[in-house]
Amino acid sequence: MQIELRPITPEDTSKIVAWRNQDWVLQYFLDQRKITEESHMQYYHSRIETGMVRQWIIKADEKEIGTCFLRDIDYENGRAEYGVFIGEKDYISKGIGKQCVRKVVKIAFEEMGLNSVFARVQEKNPRSVYSFLNTGFHMMDHTEYVEIEGRQEKVVFLEITRKDLCA
């Protein structure tokens, strides 16, 4: 199954809010607060329109199924953070996340001129960690903890660099 990516638009707001607020999706977010259409539109205007974030809708089998993004884009230091979530259960564990990573990393390096892309993942999400490792990312020597529902959850950092792709 091949995927396509297209930039998000304001018209995608309701579906992004619906996907992201599902408990089975939200459980792996570092910030687990639910979003509203209003908060998403604020995010769209302050982050997407300003170029601090580039975000795409993921399409598979002619169906829109989730979103992926580069955030906190730092052109001066040549890096950004990658994130992805699939909002349609039937498309989980189908290799879509790996395809998204490959496409977005290519955009980051070839179109945007970045040198590294990193991701933060809850350690309790081994499927996501494996997907990153399987697409050329490596574990960084850095971890953090975030508080989620009163628990401290370990967050691992993974990274891929332009050099990694040339090696």
Side-chain angles (χ1 to χ4, degrees):
M1 168 181 334
Q2 293 296 317
I3 63 152
E4 296 175 33
L5 300 179
R6 69 157 177 81
I8 69 166
T9 67
E11 290 74 27
D12 296 316
T13 296
S14 60
K15 73 180 137 239
I16 290 172
V17 169
W19 288 330
R20 189 190 180 281
N21 286 343
Q22 296 173 96
D23 289 338
W24 65 272
V25 172
L26 202 55
Q27 71 180 326
Y28 294 117
F29 270 74
L30 302 182
D31 179 353
Q32 296 194 348
R33 292 175 290 185
K34 293 198 175 194
I35 63 172
T36 64
E37 289 194 15
E38 293 77 24
S39 67
H40 184 267
M41 284 308 300
Q42 288 175 331
Y43 164 86
Y44 186 88
H45 294 307
S46 67
R47 310 282 282 166
I48 305 277
E49 289 181 338
T50 63
M52 295 176 70
V53 173
R54 287 192 59 187
Q55 188 167 351
W56 300 268
I57 292 292
I58 305 163
K59 194 171 177 182
D61 294 336
E62 301 300 316
K63 181 177 181 174
E64 294 175 339
I65 61 163
T67 184
C68 57
F69 54 88
L70 288 171
R71 59 174 264 166
D72 299 329
I73 300 167
D74 180 352
Y75 286 103
E76 186 175 319
N77 293 303
R79 64 185 311 207
E81 180 178 355
Y82 174 78
V84 61
F85 65 91
I86 308 297
E88 301 291 337
K89 274 191 175 179
D90 292 345
Y91 291 86
I92 298 293
S93 296
K94 304 273 189 211
I96 290 166
K98 292 177 197 169
Q99 287 185 63
C100 290
V101 166
R102 288 183 183 114
K103 286 179 182 276
V104 173
V105 164
K106 184 175 180 173
I107 291 168
F109 294 158
E110 293 180 9
E111 293 179 24
M112 299 171 65
L114 301 179
N115 295 312
S116 73
V117 173
F118 73 96
R120 297 178 298 157
V121 180
Q122 286 185 51
E123 185 179 59
K124 72 177 188 179
N125 187 356
R127 183 172 57 217
S128 185
V129 172
Y130 173 78
S131 180
F132 282 114
L133 293 173
N134 211 17
T135 53
F137 279 68
H138 58 272
M139 297 291 283
M140 296 174 69
D141 191 23
H142 180 74
T143 57
E144 288 181 359
Y145 289 84
V146 295
E147 185 172 326
I148 299 174
E149 296 181 357
R151 297 181 318 277
Q152 292 293 313
E153 295 288 347
K154 186 175 184 179
V155 177
V156 297
F157 285 65
L158 300 103
E159 179 181 44
I160 189 167
T161 67
R162 183 185 297 270
K163 290 178 185 175
D164 292 330
L165 292 182
C166 296

